[in-house]
Amino acid sequence: MMLTNRNVQESAAYLRAMLPAQPEIGLVLGSGLGPLAGEIEDAAHIPYADIPHFRTSTAPDHAGRLVCGTLAGRQVLCMQGRLHGYEGWTPDEVAYPVYVMRALGVRALVLTNASGGINTAFQVGDFMLIEDHINMTGKSPLTGANDDALGPRFPDMTFAYAPALRDKADEAAKACGLTLRHGVYCGVNGPQFETPAEIRMFRLLGADAVGMSTVNEAIAAAHCGLPAVGIAMITNMAAGVLMQPLSGAEVNEIAMRRGADFRRLVTALVARL
Ligand code: HPA
């Protein structure tokens, strides 16, 4: 069993000795968003492979290390590269680093990702504040015995995406002169993109964007009482919305092209947390 306070404390003890300062804000960087870590000042880099109990991401363009330092005057602990279910990691392995952040004293978690747009009012390159999620992976990181030292057996998800932090994301977007859409994120396992029928179903269910990450980390944050905020970059319209095939290359190309604005937005948000 992965999610035990004992494991978490061992990981946190290792990191405490490595970190330049006590982190305040946790940051998880999604596909194509890794370059944000390059803007962190006085950074310490710690490969996941060196941290007790951490798994190492294999996704392309995910560096697989923690970058800790100063961003917008805040001490941040940044995951440059996250783990995904489609790589074969179990949901608790994917969620594990969130508990370690919490144990280190992080008081807010910023989750970012690349998503397909389901809402037909969205455009490629848009940014979407995650108001809520639908977990379509069919799994939970909290499956199995619960360690009460980490969180309750039946955690509340009503405010998993903390309203106060969502307001700050809106303020940050306004200050940057960027439009921030709002919507519901649908999390799937992948790695195949969805079928057009699945996308029509997700739209009927109330989803505005779809992606292969974020839900496990958000569940973990709610479980351990860490306020979370999520921002999705719409890198493509989801399958069947446009009469064209989807590709991972397209996702990365748009993530690159919109990367500078995304970094501005996230930095402005961190400044307000
Ligand atoms: N579907 C799932 N995950 C994604 C997509 C998508 O269309 N785009 C980026 N990540």
Side-chain angles (χ1 to χ4, degrees):
M1 198 179 61
M2 174 107 209
L3 296 184
T4 64
N5 190 44
R6 188 192 163 135
N7 286 352
V8 170
Q9 294 303 331
E10 282 172 7
S11 302
Y14 174 84
L15 287 170
R16 239 177 250 119
M18 302 287 293
L19 296 182
Q22 138 114 37
E24 305 169 85
I25 310 293
L27 208 52
V28 181
L29 301 180
S31 299
L33 308 174
L36 177 59
E39 299 189 5
I40 296 173
E41 296 157 37
D42 305 317
H45 300 91
I46 305 165
Y48 298 157
D50 291 354
I51 308 170
H53 308 297
F54 266 54
R55 309 294 191 249
T56 305
S57 56
T58 65
D61 198 42
H62 283 241
R65 62 184 185 178
L66 293 182
V67 183
C68 311
T70 311
L71 184 71
R74 297 278 185 280
Q75 288 298 327
V76 298
L77 191 157
C78 175
M79 291 187 71
Q80 191 177 23
R82 59 146 63 85
L83 307 176
H84 301 83
Y86 65 73
E87 297 172 80
W89 304 117
T90 56
D92 54 335
E93 289 173 323
V94 173
Y96 180 78
V98 172
Y99 293 93
V100 178
M101 290 188 197
R102 180 79 174 123
L104 288 169
V106 163
R107 56 179 169 74
L109 178 66
V110 180
L111 299 169
T112 68
N113 65 50
S115 299
I118 294 178
N119 185 326
T120 55
F122 289 179
Q123 287 184 341
V124 169
D126 279 354
F127 303 131
M128 186 192 89
L129 178 65
I130 301 176
E131 294 197 308
D132 204 346
H133 81 216
I134 299 173
N135 177 7
M136 287 297 250
T137 67
K139 296 176 225 162
S140 166
L142 309 183
T143 302
N146 186 64
D147 187 339
D148 294 335
L150 294 179
R153 171 76 287 187
F154 301 109
D156 180 32
M157 291 293 290
T158 310
F159 302 114
Y161 297 90
L165 302 192
R166 279 150 52 189
D167 288 348
K168 291 183 182 187
D170 281 327
E171 287 166 23
K174 208 169 161 200
C176 292
L178 293 168
T179 302
L180 185 58
R181 312 274 198 171
H182 287 197
V184 172
Y185 175 84
C186 178
V188 296
N189 188 78
Q192 74 287 352
F193 289 115
E194 302 68 40
T195 65
E198 287 165 346
I199 293 302
R200 287 193 300 273
M201 175 179 76
F202 295 157
R203 185 181 296 120
L204 278 173
L205 295 180
D208 297 290
V210 60
M212 303 173 193
S213 67
T214 304
V215 294
N216 287 314
E217 292 107 319
I219 291 167
H223 183 223
C224 68
L226 178 57
V229 57
I231 301 179
M233 180 196 284
I234 306 298
T235 51
N236 57 283
M237 295 312 289
V241 176
L242 305 173
M243 279 301 142
Q244 60 188 44
L246 270 48
S247 77
E250 175 195 15
V251 168
N252 285 326
E253 190 202 314
I254 298 298
M256 287 292 182
R257 200 183 305 160
R258 296 292 288 135
D261 276 344
F262 194 81
R263 292 196 285 278
R264 273 202 303 136
L265 175 59
V266 173
T267 304
L269 170 57
V270 168
R272 285 165 176 76
L273 293 176

